[in-house]
Amino acid sequence: MASDKRINIDEPRWDQSTYWGRAKHFFVTTNPLNLLCTSEELDKSKDVVTRYRRGETLTDLSEDDLWRAKSIYDSAFHPDTGEKMVLIGRMSAQVPMNMTITGCMLTFYKSTQAVVFWQWFNQSFNAVVNYSNRSGDSPISVSQLATSYVLATGGALGTALGLNSLVKKAPPLIGRLVPFVAVAAANCVNIPMMRMKELSGGIPVVDEAGERIGDSKVAAQVGIASVVLSRILMASPGMIFPPILMDRLERRGVLSRYPMVGAPLQVLLCGVCLTFATPMCCALFPQKSSIAVSSLEPELQERIKKSSNPPSVVYYNKGL
């Protein structure tokens, strides 16, 4: 690659101001095929990225090769610490792990023991993902992680078991949708708890040039709310469409004639839904989101107005 064609690999390859640009970025980031990369391939991609960041000219690599190495590197190594993440904590593991967990939650929703196990397993997996992808600048403490884990697991179990007892006489389809409500409730608890430090102290807001102006609790609230919404929408297709299909198959007697097909079919359907829903819902809101200065806290508004060239809009990282 010629030295006069330096590429900023610390920014996404596609235009993040457009929805489809963000979607393309997350399709690459969540690609499950990256899980098949060997240790040698991972180490090679890290070496390529590290050398290129140092300013070395890699004449034996094309632009596509460089971006491929960067996507493999991002899929396995922590962006702040550079440490290799545990396999199931990587973004590329989201689809295969979630399709298995979701499919089993939807299949075994009638058994109390199965509900307890799979809701617990789901929140345990979420805890691993949250810890693996923790911020290097604002790390998650062990006590914060444990509190979030306990509350989210308790919320999911309470919602699932409580609703199961209430819908026993309701149509079967209603019972099949209980796991989705439980997962949505857990997200509403888990994500704010994991980011409680941001809610209490605010998150950095910057101007268009990237200069830090201050910390805003309002921006934190908006950013976290958008993450909660995108997580719930991400789970929606795989936890709504398969139950509807399975309910119809049950009414037609297909599941009674072929009882062993239920779990594999639901896992497969969830996988198809999540393959598209995960990147497309991650892309709903820009990673670098904007907020009007007039919407910020009064004291921060005053501080911005006193600057030499006060902006009308500021930016913040909403998180994932």
Side-chain angles (χ1 to χ4, degrees), residues 202-263:
I203 58 176
V205 292
V206 300
D207 59 19
E208 194 169 359
E211 293 294 325
R212 184 167 177 170
I213 297 174
D215 296 331
S216 171
K217 297 178 185 178
V218 174
Q221 293 167 6
V222 175
I224 292 171
S226 66
V227 171
V228 171
L229 178 60
S230 64
R231 293 277 188 96
I232 293 174
L233 292 175
M234 191 186 302
S236 299
M239 301 193 81
I240 293 178
F241 295 127
I244 293 174
L245 176 60
M246 299 304 288
D247 183 65
R248 292 188 177 181
L249 292 177
E250 188 175 41
R251 289 182 180 183
R252 295 180 180 181
V254 175
L255 297 183
S256 60
R257 292 196 300 272
Y258 308 101
M260 297 298 291
V261 81

Side-chain angles (χ1 to χ4, degrees), residues 72-88:
I72 294 174
Y73 173 83
D74 288 343
S75 74
F77 295 93
H78 192 281
D80 295 328
T81 66
E83 296 176 354
K84 188 181 294 185
M85 293 183 286
V86 64
L87 189 70
I88 64 171

